[in-house]
Amino acid sequence: MVETTHPGNIGAAARAMKTMGLSDLRLVEPQSYPSVEATARASGAGDVLEAARVCASLDEALEGATLVIGTSARQRRIPWPCLTPRQLAAQLSHEPDDTRIAVLFGREDRGLTNDELRRCNLHVSVPTNPEYGVLNVASAVQLICYELRLALLGEDFDLKEARSRREAMPLPEMFWDEPLATNEAVAGFLDHLEQVMAQSGFLNPEQPGQVMTRMRRLFMRARPDKMEMSILRGVLVALEKKMQG
């Protein structure tokens, strides 16, 4: 939870986590904590609250995380892959067992900043009533913790039901600002990347190991768009000129 203003929301979040079997709560610069009100709202989840880690920065809070999910109530200027909590649960159920997942919750009045959201692999948004989409942060914690519990336990989770629920409560349509790069464009970029890595001395063409396999996996998983691919190719061209000059 990032810069939480009201201590009661911290206590309520701790309670929400404990009811769903989660316990690793990290607080980034809370405005008022520790607090009697937080303890009161935590009720029987005082142990989660007492173990909460107060962090001086987002970097500290995300230490060890391999998958970061940001909660967002609105689309940003540059669109980002966005899931509903139920879609998120379905996706996380296929993650490796050693995945360390962090879910970021923002400030009560303005959520997460654009810079904070850019630290995330995925965004999750609750498909609320478009006429009144205000959701208390502790309520959002409870809702997402519930979906995570379904994903972890695998109980009563039905893919057909999930699809029907998504159709009944769709997110606002998201318009991506650039078309996805073609497979050929990504392949061309990866060939170019391999050349530059070899020219720089980073990659030994005689003993490449699994470096390019991992790089290909990275970019194929990322599914960059045309503009992102153009930027990456431009970076490689600039590096080549610098090495030649």
Side-chain angles (χ1 to χ4, degrees):
M1 300 178 74
V2 179
E3 295 181 2
T4 309
T5 302
H6 199 293
N9 284 327
I10 296 174
R15 183 175 183 177
M17 290 174 62
K18 185 167 184 176
T19 59
M20 295 297 134
L22 302 175
S23 60
D24 188 356
L25 175 60
R26 303 188 186 190
L27 308 171
V28 180
E29 296 185 296
Q31 291 193 20
S32 179
Y33 185 83
S35 163
V36 173
E37 187 168 0
T39 302
R41 290 285 300 277
S43 189
D47 55 338
V48 174
L49 197 60
E50 290 173 8
R53 178 174 164 183
V54 179
C55 303
S57 67
L58 185 58
D59 284 335
E60 182 184 345
L62 295 179
E63 183 181 357
T66 56
L67 178 64
V68 181
I69 299 148
T71 55
S72 179
R74 63 189 188 278
Q75 296 295 341
R76 307 292 168 138
R77 181 180 177 184
I78 298 178
W80 212 264
C82 191
L83 305 173
T84 66
R86 184 59 55 93
Q87 290 171 322
L88 174 65
Q91 178 156 331
L92 295 185
S93 66
H94 299 292
E95 286 289 320
D97 292 340
D98 60 353
T99 303
R100 293 182 60 83
I101 302 167
V103 184
L104 293 184
F105 294 89
R107 305 151 187 82
E108 289 94 333
D109 59 343
R110 54 193 174 93
L112 295 167
T113 66
N114 287 337
D115 285 342
E116 289 162 351
L117 284 168
R118 281 193 283 268
R119 296 290 304 275
C120 304
N121 300 102
L122 298 169
H123 294 173
V124 62
S125 183
V126 178
T128 54
N129 177 358
E131 296 179 3
Y132 185 74
V134 180
L135 187 66
N136 174 270
V137 65
S139 298
V141 171
Q142 179 74 80
L143 191 155
I144 291 177
C145 287
Y146 167 74
E147 295 293 349
L148 292 177
R149 183 167 180 80
L150 288 186
L152 291 170
L153 297 181
E155 295 178 359
D156 301 323
F157 187 83
D158 183 86
L159 192 56
K160 290 183 178 178
E161 180 185 356
R163 289 197 186 103
S164 66
R165 286 174 185 264
R166 288 199 297 270
E167 291 169 0
M169 297 186 298
L171 284 171
E173 187 175 1
M174 181 176 68
F175 297 96
W176 201 257
D177 56 344
E178 291 285 338
L180 292 175
T182 64
N183 187 271
E184 292 86 353
V186 176
F189 160 74
L190 288 166
D191 289 340
H192 192 179
L193 176 63
E194 185 173 7
Q195 293 171 17
V196 174
M197 290 170 70
Q199 291 169 17
S200 71
F202 179 87
L203 182 69
N204 181 354
E206 301 300 323
Q207 293 181 319
Q210 297 296 316
V211 173
M212 285 312 301
T213 299
R214 291 186 176 276
M215 295 303 293
R216 291 178 191 280
R217 183 178 67 176
L218 167 64
F219 284 98
M220 296 307 289
R221 183 170 72 239
R223 301 185 69 197
D225 65 33
K226 289 181 67 175
M227 180 59 70
E228 291 163 344
M229 190 54 55
S230 178
I231 293 170
L232 289 169
R233 292 300 290 266
V235 169
L236 294 181
V237 169
L239 290 173
E240 285 180 313
K241 291 180 178 178
K242 193 73 173 179
M243 287 187 292
Q244 293 166 3

